[in-house]
Amino acid sequence: MSSTATTSNIPRITILGSLNTDLVAYVPHHPLPGETLTATSFMTSPGGKGANQAVACAKLSRPRSLSSPSAHVSMVGAVGSDSNGDMLLHNLQTHGVDSSLVTKLPNQKTGIAMIVVEAETGQNRIIISGEANHSVGEEYVTAGGWLEKTDLLIMQLEVPMGTVVRAVGEAKARGVDVLLNPAPARVLPEGVYRGLKHLVVNETEAAILGGVEERELDTMEGLERVGRMFLEKGVENFIATLGGRGVFYLTREGGEEKRGLVEAERGVRVVDTTGAGDTFVGRYALDAVRARKEGEGGEGGRFDIEGAVRRANKAAAVTVQREGAAASIPWRDEVE
Ligand code: ATP
């Protein structure tokens, strides 16, 4: 069977975002200023928040055999005309992501992320050189008519802000749901929030976008206060991933506020947190798009946000126990 299902009545998720080659060094501790360290190991692997979230959606939508996906997943973005670009396209295809809307740009390099992972804690530090991702302009939003065929659009901030803002507007005009994972964190134009069905942030992103100190998010009251701020700006579902603390959610369905803190899975041995947030987004998105599709079909389709957060939290806990980004994301049969 083809690796990209095209069944018309399954939900369609499109990810508009970045593709990077990850250069990952594992080190005993993060280097101090001026310090030269010897890595304990090194690997080159496919990455980029956009591509990782596309792979997360695809892997978590089906078992390893690539049969019966619960969603059609496609990616919109750009790579350079180099071997890294070929590797990233191949990575999407082997995981069942439709890559026909990823452009290979002549005379450009593929994006790079330099990642340093501390062995003791699994914590990472990352430097990105966007390269071809910088060329993903507003024209990518309308070219090819892909938005008309999308039920849920997922974006991050590793492509130009103007493109993200345009895509939110175009999606809203067409009634397409949008999930924004604003990483790396940058203050957003206020109007963007009204177009967001789902805002998924980690603690740093919540603090920067919300204009608060990160320590405000240490308490449930602080999380509620920040979450409400985003709801008032127009977001429907606010999710904050809190690393080893778990996940906070806040929503207002039918005027009634619902909130909760889902604790992180216990007994988890953290090896490498790279891709944990992306895994969370992928699993959460599959529930979100299914609820939307069922709603269209008149089958109720009420979004069980707590269930979606629990399942995503469980999937992300698998990712932190493995090395790498795309490779560490579990298939559906590994979490269910
Ligand atoms: P990254 O950028 O490294 O992918 P992130 O900063 O976007 O991650 P985090 O909030 O660190 O996202 O982690 C995402 C989710 O991964 C958490 O909400 C949780 O579900 C899971 N997770 C992270 N750390 C742990 C841990 N120590 N134990 C269990 N689950 C974890």
Side-chain angles (χ1 to χ4, degrees):
M1 86 155 251
S2 133
S3 63
T4 52
T6 48
T7 319
S8 62
N9 57 353
I10 65 169
R12 298 182 75 97
I13 300 177
T14 306
I15 295 86
L16 168 60
S18 61
L19 297 104
N20 290 325
T21 305
D22 287 351
L23 308 177
V24 194
Y26 293 88
V27 293
H29 60 87
H30 286 297
L32 298 167
E35 184 180 8
T36 301
L37 270 183
T38 301
T40 49
S41 63
F42 172 81
M43 67 177 177
T44 302
S45 59
K49 288 206 89 70
N52 286 348
Q53 291 179 16
V55 168
C57 289
K59 286 181 86 172
L60 289 158
S61 78
R62 68 185 82 197
R64 216 172 316 209
S65 60
L66 293 181
S67 61
S68 330
S70 63
H72 176 92
V73 181
S74 56
M75 169 103 208
V76 178
V79 293
S81 294
D82 49 21
S83 57
N84 283 344
D86 294 338
M87 186 262 290
L88 296 180
L89 287 170
H90 179 71
N91 171 60
L92 292 180
Q93 290 151 9
T94 53
H95 289 111
V97 178
D98 181 345
S99 63
S100 56
L101 291 164
V102 177
T103 311
K104 216 170 159 182
L105 297 169
N107 307 319
Q108 288 221 32
K109 282 183 278 187
T110 298
I112 293 280
M114 289 181 277
I115 305 177
V116 181
V117 182
E118 189 177 65
E120 179 101 337
T121 59
Q123 290 296 324
N124 57 38
R125 293 193 181 170
I126 305 177
I127 298 169
I128 291 174
S129 185
E131 310 293 342
N133 297 304
H134 290 310
S135 298
V136 179
E138 290 183 38
E139 67 281 7
Y140 280 65
V141 178
T142 46
W146 56 268
L147 201 45
E148 279 74 15
K149 298 182 213 125
T150 298
D151 296 301
L152 175 68
L153 167 63
I154 303 180
M155 290 184 291
Q156 315 75 27
L157 299 180
E158 288 183 354
V159 294
M161 179 68 90
T163 306
V164 174
V165 172
R166 174 82 185 271
V168 170
E170 297 286 345
K172 190 171 163 62
R174 290 165 176 77
V176 175
D177 285 351
V178 178
L179 184 160
L180 182 67
N181 174 222
R186 263 181 290 163
V187 173
L188 296 173
E190 284 296 306
V192 165
Y193 292 105
R194 280 192 299 279
L196 301 183
K197 179 92 175 176
H198 311 277
L199 177 66
V200 182
V201 291
N202 66 14
E203 288 162 283
T204 310
E205 291 144 16
I208 292 177
L209 269 69
V212 298
E213 296 280 330
E214 226 173 294
R215 62 186 151 77
E216 274 210 44
L217 307 167
D218 288 348
T219 63
M220 192 67 177
E221 295 72 39
L223 287 163
E224 283 176 26
R225 208 169 29 249
V226 172
R228 266 189 213 111
M229 205 162 77
F230 289 113
L231 258 47
E232 270 148 33
K233 289 174 192 276
V235 171
E236 279 188 45
N237 300 293
F238 171 77
I239 313 287
T241 63
L242 309 168
R245 285 164 65 204
V247 190
F248 171 79
Y249 65 90
L250 180 73
T251 184
R252 229 176 253 154
E253 255 201 19
E256 198 187 320
E257 192 175 281
K258 204 170 155 196
R259 64 188 175 282
L261 184 69
V262 173
E263 281 186 21
E265 294 283 301
R266 287 168 200 264
V268 167
R269 195 178 76 82
V270 179
V271 174
D272 177 2
T273 62
T274 312
D278 300 329
T279 304
F280 183 92
V281 166
R283 187 62 190 87
Y284 174 91
L286 289 165
D287 275 349
V289 79
R290 197 192 58 210
R292 153 145 195 158
K293 204 69 181 166
E294 286 174 3
E296 279 172 9
E299 294 168 42
R302 213 186 129 271
F303 180 43
D304 169 18
I305 188 168
E306 188 188 340
V309 167
R310 282 191 187 285
R311 284 180 282 274
N313 184 48
K314 207 168 154 195
V318 174
T319 299
V320 301
Q321 298 179 67
R322 302 171 173 181
E323 286 186 355
S328 69
I329 298 165
W331 294 94
R332 189 174 67 198
D333 51 332
E334 293 179 277
V335 281
E336 279 167 21

